[in-house]
Amino acid sequence: MSILHEIYDDTYIPCAPLQKIPKELRDRKWAFYEEVERAAGVELIERHWDAICEADSARDYANFREGFRLGVALMLEALP
């Protein structure tokens, strides 16, 4: 695994995530999914959830990687 993946997946030490999603937002999100699960069924929600997680992970990693590249480029520019 590359160091970029370790940092992105939060397995790189010594750094831990600085912020977490506020509890109120997490609670609202889960309440919504529970309501949809009752209406549409567990199987549909699981398929949908897997697809969302995969898409979010790919997008988030691409954004993280671009931010990392920007940071490296800025540091290289700062060198004499």
Side-chain angles (χ1 to χ4, degrees), residues 1-62:
M1 179 179 283
S2 74
I3 193 155
L4 280 177
H5 276 106
E6 288 178 8
I7 294 170
Y8 176 74
D9 291 335
D10 195 32
T11 57
Y12 180 76
I13 298 179
C15 188
L18 298 177
Q19 294 182 354
K20 295 185 178 184
I21 296 173
K23 184 180 181 333
E24 178 183 325
L25 290 176
R26 281 195 324 264
D27 291 346
R28 286 193 338 215
K29 179 177 89 172
W30 288 116
F32 170 77
Y33 280 115
E34 288 169 2
E35 185 177 337
V36 173
E37 184 177 297
R38 282 191 295 273
V42 174
E43 184 180 317
L44 178 67
I45 290 300
E46 287 177 354
R47 286 192 343 239
H48 179 66
W49 186 256
D50 290 345
I52 286 175
C53 288
E54 187 177 349
D56 284 352
S57 181
R59 182 206 58 221
D60 292 348
Y61 182 72

